[in-house]
């Protein structure tokens, strides 16, 4: 079977460091074209394609007639597109690709807010019924083994009774991601908290499972570091439909460092840190501790290959559905909204997608 012909849409940091290498590694995919806003950026991305690979055609907004994004979508040898564009721009590109019958793998978050995401999903369902095109959202944390293992460990320990999530870091001005204009001056809620934060709401939702879906929350937000507007810190109290109450503490402008997810259950505790998961069964001196360490990975190679498999099988990967991404976005947005409203309680409605 011939590999699936795809186009890479975008030429930024993540495309060059993750998407292109992942697509090259999958034997199921063949990169046919790259599009970026500028030809220069497309050319830089194309340099990563080895000489022995099939020629890659370059398209851009400044390349003139016959080299636009729409021209890529007309190509019969291109079955799918991997999209990694600024958050506010991406939904329009997704819709165009779906309308052209192309399968889409789009970077998270699914959209800048819940309303835009819901509208996009409604459009997708309508168009896919006519074109059979699929929409997958690239949340690579769902392809990290640690989170899946941690979720299974939680299930073994009985009812969830509480949880604590702590993620503190500093997004410095020297960081390569900070120095992308659309991130430095964000036109979307939460700034860096939204952009990277959906990784962590996805992780928490995976660990808690459907039976412990978040039902409501209250939160306070603040701007600790002035170069990270509009806010860079969240302190939230979260309640699940099962009655468990937990805290969600995160900052991208903090001098403190933390990255841990603690899920307390009737029969023990699971501590997840991405590549390492510690399970404590029992209490006190009788407790038994087990640690499992996984190979460090971004999860991108796994998610891109899984997307390719879904195109060939015609069955969407359950870890890439747009509804899952909507749930990740909703949890983050409701914390930001509560903070904007001085801690007003927020009800959630899309958390059953787990």
């Amino acid at each position: 079977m011939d590999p699936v012909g795809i186009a890479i849409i975008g030429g930024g940091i993540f495309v060059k460091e993750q998407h292109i290498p992942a697509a090259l590694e999958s034997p199921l995919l063949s990169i046919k074209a790259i599009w970026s806003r500028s030809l220069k950026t497309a050319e830089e991305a194309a340099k990563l394609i080895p000489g022995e690979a099939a020629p890659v055609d370059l398209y851009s907004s400044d390349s003139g007639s016959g080299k636009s994004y729409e021209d890529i979508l007309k190509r019969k040898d291109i079955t799918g597109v991997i999209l990694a564009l600024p958050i506010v721009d991406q939904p329009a590109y997704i819709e165009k690709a779906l309308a052209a019958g192309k399968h889409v793998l789009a970077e998270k978050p699914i959209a800048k807010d819940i309303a835009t995401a819901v509208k996009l999903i409604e459009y997708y369902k309508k168009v896919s019924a006519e074109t059979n095109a699929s929409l997958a959202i690239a949340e690579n944390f769902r392809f990290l083994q640690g989170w899946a293992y941690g979720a299974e460990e939680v299930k073994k320990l009985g009812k969830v009774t509480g949880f604590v999530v702590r993620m503190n870091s500093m997004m410095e001005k020297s960081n390569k991601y900070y120095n992308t204009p659309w991130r430095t001056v964000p036109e979307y809620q939460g700034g860096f908290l939204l952009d990277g934060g959906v990784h962590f709401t996805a992780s928490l939702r995976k660990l808690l499972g459907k039976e412990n879906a978040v039902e409501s929350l209250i939160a306070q937000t603040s701007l600790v570091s002035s170069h990270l507007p509009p806010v860079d810190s969240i302190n939230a109290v979260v309640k699940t439909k099962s009655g468990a109450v937990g805290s969600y503490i995160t900052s991208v402008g903090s001098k403190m460092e933390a990255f841990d997810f603690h899920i307390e259950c009737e029969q023990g505790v699971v501590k997840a840190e991405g590549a390492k998961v510690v399970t404590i069964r029992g209490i006190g001196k009788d407790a038994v501790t087990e640690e499992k360490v996984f190979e460090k990975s971004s999860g991108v190679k796994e998610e891109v290959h899984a997307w390719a498999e879904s195109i060939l099988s015609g069955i969407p990967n359950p870890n890439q559905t747009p509804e899952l991404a909507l749930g990740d976005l909703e949890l983050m947005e409701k914390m930001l909204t509560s903070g904007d409203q001085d801690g007003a309680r927020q009800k959630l409605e899309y958390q059953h997608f787990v």
Side-chain angles (χ1 to χ4, degrees), residues 100-116:
K102 306 301 182 186
H103 299 288
V104 177
L105 178 64
E107 258 305 313
K108 59 78 210 160
I110 183 173
K112 67 184 179 70
D113 54 36
I114 296 169
T116 306

Side-chain angles (χ1 to χ4, degrees), residues 15-34:
V15 163
K16 289 184 281 193
E17 294 187 355
Q18 298 290 341
H19 287 144
I20 290 178
L24 289 172
E25 184 161 310
S26 174
L28 304 181
L29 297 175
S30 174
I31 302 174
K32 301 288 187 182
I34 297 175

Side-chain angles (χ1 to χ4, degrees), residues 289-310:
T289 300
E290 178 186 347
E291 181 179 300
K292 193 168 179 86
V293 178
F294 297 89
E295 183 180 351
K296 287 191 175 182
S297 165
S298 68
V300 176
K301 289 181 180 179
E302 293 83 353
E303 76 174 359
V304 169
H305 187 68
W307 175 62
E309 290 179 324
S310 73

Side-chain angles (χ1 to χ4, degrees), residues 61-174:
S61 297
D62 59 1
S63 286
S65 178
K67 291 293 183 179
S68 68
Y69 175 61
E70 290 75 14
D71 290 311
I72 281 184
L73 299 180
K74 293 175 184 176
R75 288 180 53 165
K76 291 187 175 8
D77 63 334
I78 292 177
T79 301
V81 295
I82 296 178
L83 278 151
L85 299 170
I87 294 171
V88 294
D89 299 337
Q90 193 159 266
Y93 285 81
I94 293 173
E95 289 184 358
K96 286 184 178 180
L98 292 172
K102 306 301 182 186
H103 299 288
V104 177
L105 178 64
E107 258 305 313
K108 59 78 210 160
I110 183 173
K112 67 184 179 70
D113 54 36
I114 296 169
T116 306
V118 169
K119 183 180 177 182
L120 176 60
I121 292 172
E122 289 174 348
Y123 179 85
Y124 162 53
K125 289 180 177 178
K126 177 184 175 183
V127 172
S128 65
E130 302 168 359
T131 66
N132 290 320
S134 61
L135 171 59
I137 302 300
E139 177 44 76
N140 49 303
F141 273 41
R142 283 199 169 86
F143 289 86
L144 298 178
Q145 291 178 286
W147 302 117
Y149 174 80
E152 290 303 312
E153 291 296 284
V154 168
K155 291 177 183 177
K156 297 175 185 176
L157 296 177
K159 182 181 178 181
V160 171
T161 54
F163 53 94
V164 176
V165 175
R166 295 187 311 143
M167 293 166 298
N168 292 323
S169 62
M170 172 61 77
M171 175 58 68
E172 298 185 38
K173 292 181 180 180
S174 58

